[in-house]
């Protein structure tokens, strides 16, 4: 509960930024949301990298997955910041952009279950900076919308998702060890099932996004349809 104030603070800050951009900045809904998302991606990515570096000696160990959140207060701060943003952006998703609804629900479920179990906060911090790094590139593409920028985004996004798959494999490995009774840490009995299931769900969602972008890249650039789509 140390940083729970960050949830309403993050929600309010993102909502205020959206209203300022749409009411006073002259932007329509989509570009306003894109800019707020870019703000969140950037701040969350930096916080995630900072948390990763601060607790770097725990990475690759069981503690990174099942260590108590209370041992990693800055990871908790990041988690609450993310919760506030996703609660804010879910409103936008439900109204205007439903294709991201599953992704947002998985993210919220992951953060909420981490809060209840008091574990997985540090792993969520790593999830954050890896995924937000690619998301930041996509938000930048939505702002500039050039063909060259999109190609660069897809290539960079691919690299980040490969790294995310490797990290997810490590999380799953520790969850399996916990289910086999090899862990000496304390956590609810359902935590290994939840952490493994949500990590895999998040990985699948991200890989589906990756496949979507590669299909789009194939249609637009490799098959020479970019000119036609720009004219449309």
């Amino acid at each position: 509960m140390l940083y729970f104030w960050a949830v309403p603070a993050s929600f309010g800050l993102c909502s205020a930024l959206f209203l300022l951009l749409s009411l006073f900045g002259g932007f329509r809904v989509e570009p306003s949301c894109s800019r707020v998302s870019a703000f969140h991606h950037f701040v969350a990515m930096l916080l995630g990298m900072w948390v990763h570096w601060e607790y770097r000696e725990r990475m690759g160990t069981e503690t990174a997955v099942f260590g108590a959140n209370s041992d990693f207060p800055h990871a908790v701060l990041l988690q609450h910041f993310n919760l506030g943003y996703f609660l804010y952006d879910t409103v936008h998703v439900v109204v205007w952009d439903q294709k991201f609804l599953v992704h947002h629900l998985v993210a919220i479920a992951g953060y909420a279950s981490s809060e209840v179990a008091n574990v997985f906060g540090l792993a969520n911090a790593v999830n954050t900076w890896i995924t937000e790094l690619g998301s930041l590139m996509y938000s930048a593409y939505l702002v500039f919308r050039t063909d060259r920028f999109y190609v660069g985004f897809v290539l960079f996004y691919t690299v980040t998702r490969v790294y995310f798959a490797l990290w997810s494999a490590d999380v799953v490995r520790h969850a399996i060890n916990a289910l086999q009774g090899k862990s000496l840490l304390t956590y609810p009995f359902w935590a290994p099932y939840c952490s493994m299931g949500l990590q895999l769900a998040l990985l699948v969602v991200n890989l589906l996004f990756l496949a979507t972008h590669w299909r789009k890249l194939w249609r637009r650039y490799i098959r020479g349809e970019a000119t036609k789509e720009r004219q449309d």
Side-chain angles (χ1 to χ4, degrees):
M1 294 294 292
L2 180 63
Y3 293 108
F4 189 75
W5 58 264
V7 177
S10 176
F11 184 95
L13 176 60
C14 292
S15 300
L17 286 175
F18 172 79
L19 291 174
L20 286 172
L21 288 167
S22 58
L23 296 179
F24 303 104
F27 296 102
R28 302 185 68 176
V29 170
E30 183 177 355
S32 296
C33 288
S34 296
R35 284 163 172 78
V36 175
S37 294
F39 164 78
H40 166 261
H41 297 327
F42 182 70
V43 174
M45 180 191 69
L46 292 181
L47 287 174
M49 289 179 171
W50 171 48
V51 171
H52 191 149
W53 175 258
E54 185 179 20
Y55 304 115
R56 58 192 179 278
E57 71 280 357
R58 308 292 186 93
M59 297 303 166
T61 70
E62 181 189 27
T63 309
V65 182
F66 294 113
N69 289 353
S70 52
D71 293 337
F72 312 108
H74 295 147
V76 175
L77 172 62
L78 172 59
Q79 185 154 281
H80 290 173
F81 173 76
N82 283 332
L83 261 174
Y85 165 76
F86 277 106
L87 291 172
Y88 144 81
D89 202 50
T90 297
V91 177
H92 161 75
V93 166
V94 169
V95 177
W96 290 295
D97 205 2
Q98 290 83 7
K99 66 178 178 291
F100 288 107
L101 183 58
V102 173
H103 170 271
H104 280 39
L105 292 178
V106 169
I108 292 172
Y111 295 134
S113 62
S114 174
E115 289 294 307
V116 174
N118 193 37
V119 297
F120 210 66
L122 187 54
N124 275 336
V126 179
N127 286 343
T128 295
W129 80 255
I130 297 173
T131 54
E132 298 299 1
L133 187 58
S135 298
L136 183 63
M137 286 290 293
Y138 184 65
S139 291
Y141 162 70
L142 291 177
V143 172
F144 297 104
R145 290 188 179 275
T146 65
D147 294 341
R148 185 171 298 181
F149 206 107
Y150 184 71
V151 173
F153 155 70
V154 174
L155 295 176
F156 189 78
Y157 192 80
T158 301
V159 172
T160 61
R161 296 318 107 159
V162 170
Y163 186 81
F164 186 59
L166 295 175
W167 163 252
S168 297
D170 193 57
V171 171
V172 170
R173 177 175 65 87
H174 288 301
I176 292 174
N177 287 340
L179 291 173
Q180 293 174 344
K182 299 178 181 179
S183 175
L184 299 178
L185 299 176
T186 302
Y187 43 78
F189 74 92
W190 48 266
Y193 297 99
C194 191
S195 62
M196 181 167 57
L198 289 171
Q199 186 72 31
L200 290 174
L202 187 59
L203 175 62
V204 168
V205 169
N206 279 268
L207 292 179
L208 288 175
F209 286 162
L210 177 62
T212 298
H213 288 301
W214 271 107
R215 284 195 300 269
K216 186 175 181 180
L217 190 66
W218 173 267
R219 290 196 307 268
R220 294 180 62 180
Y221 303 106
I222 300 178
R223 293 179 58 186
E225 296 182 11
T227 301
K228 180 180 177 181
E229 287 200 10
R230 287 196 297 271
Q231 292 174 346
D232 293 343

